[in-house]
Amino acid sequence: DSQPNEDPLQNELLFDWIIPNHGIIGFKNYEFPHVPVEGVERQVQQTLKSEWRRHEVVKRTFSPLAFDKGRLPDDLYASLGAYWYNNRDVPHVVHEEWGRHKGVFVNYWETDVNFIQIPWHLKKRWQRRLRELVEAWTGVELETTDMYGMREYTKGARLLSHVDRESTHAASLIVNIAQQNVS
């Protein structure tokens, strides 16, 4: 009988399982007020023009559109998704620090952009697996250079079109872990 007994002392424990959570705890949440930034429209236009010039420097692409869309192996996607799910709330998720020194790639002055740091042991495991996928797409042996954490764009957030660092990001990828309320 799968129904619990009305007397909790009569219920039998059938299974006890602990899932370890290797999250990183943020000790201070960066706060950036959502106030208009003076001259932001001009900064955004200048940044877009600059990024367009930078994209013309890139001479090699790996597909006609210079990007591709694919599916992760189920076990890798499950590992990434489980980590996100277990760490998607405070104290693991913090506001990502932007501000004037990082440019206007993300509209931090209008909405929050949240960040979940990834422990080194998971980062190394995921980097190896993801690199194998990108190498299969590009047909080129690659060197692992960097993997940021998990970024959450909240309602109204946007990321400007941009060219990643040519010296370290010859081929890169974005993994969409969770998406909701998209219209």
Side-chain angles (χ1 to χ4, degrees), residues 2 9 17 26 31 52 56 68 70 73 75 79 96-97 109 114 125 143 148 150 159 163 167 174 176:
S2 62
L9 297 176
W17 190 10
E31 293 181 23
W52 186 257
E56 292 174 335
D68 198 6
D75 67 310
S79 178
E96 185 174 9
E97 184 178 349
W109 60 91
N114 298 322
R125 183 183 324 151
E143 173 189 349
Y148 301 113
M150 294 181 169
L159 174 64
V163 176
S167 61
I174 295 171
N176 188 349

Side-chain angles (χ1 to χ4, degrees), residues 154-168:
T154 59
K155 185 174 183 163
R158 57 113 178 96
L159 174 64
L160 286 183
S161 297
H162 64 281
V163 176
D164 287 333
R165 292 183 189 102
E166 297 94 336
S167 61
T168 59

Side-chain angles (χ1 to χ4, degrees), residues 37 58 64 88 100 113 130 161 170-171:
V37 174
V58 177
R88 70 186 191 276
R100 298 187 195 288
V113 179
L130 293 169
S161 297

Side-chain angles (χ1 to χ4, degrees), residues 5-104:
N5 192 310
E6 288 188 24
D7 179 0
L9 297 176
Q10 298 297 317
N11 289 321
E12 179 183 356
L13 179 63
L14 299 176
F15 192 68
D16 188 10
W17 190 10
I18 297 174
I19 301 173
N21 181 359
H22 299 288
I24 295 176
I25 307 253
F27 60 89
K28 171 143 181 19
N29 207 352
Y30 179 79
E31 293 181 23
F32 195 89
H34 297 156
V35 294
V37 174
E38 188 176 325
V40 73
E41 295 85 6
R42 181 180 50 75
Q43 290 177 51
V44 167
Q45 288 303 318
Q46 288 174 336
T47 300
L48 287 171
K49 286 178 186 177
S50 173
E51 292 301 307
W52 186 257
R53 285 190 300 273
R54 287 183 65 216
H55 109 276
E56 292 174 335
V57 172
V58 177
K59 299 297 181 203
R60 181 171 183 191
T61 60
F62 300 101
S63 67
L65 294 175
F67 71 90
D68 198 6
K69 183 179 170 184
R71 181 179 170 89
L72 293 179
D74 289 343
D75 67 310
L76 179 57
Y77 184 77
S79 178
L80 289 158
Y83 185 77
W84 171 80
Y85 183 83
N86 288 326
N87 293 280
R88 70 186 191 276
D89 296 314
V90 173
H92 305 286
V93 66
V94 296
H95 296 303
E96 185 174 9
E97 184 178 349
W98 278 85
R100 298 187 195 288
H101 66 284
K102 285 192 172 182
V104 293

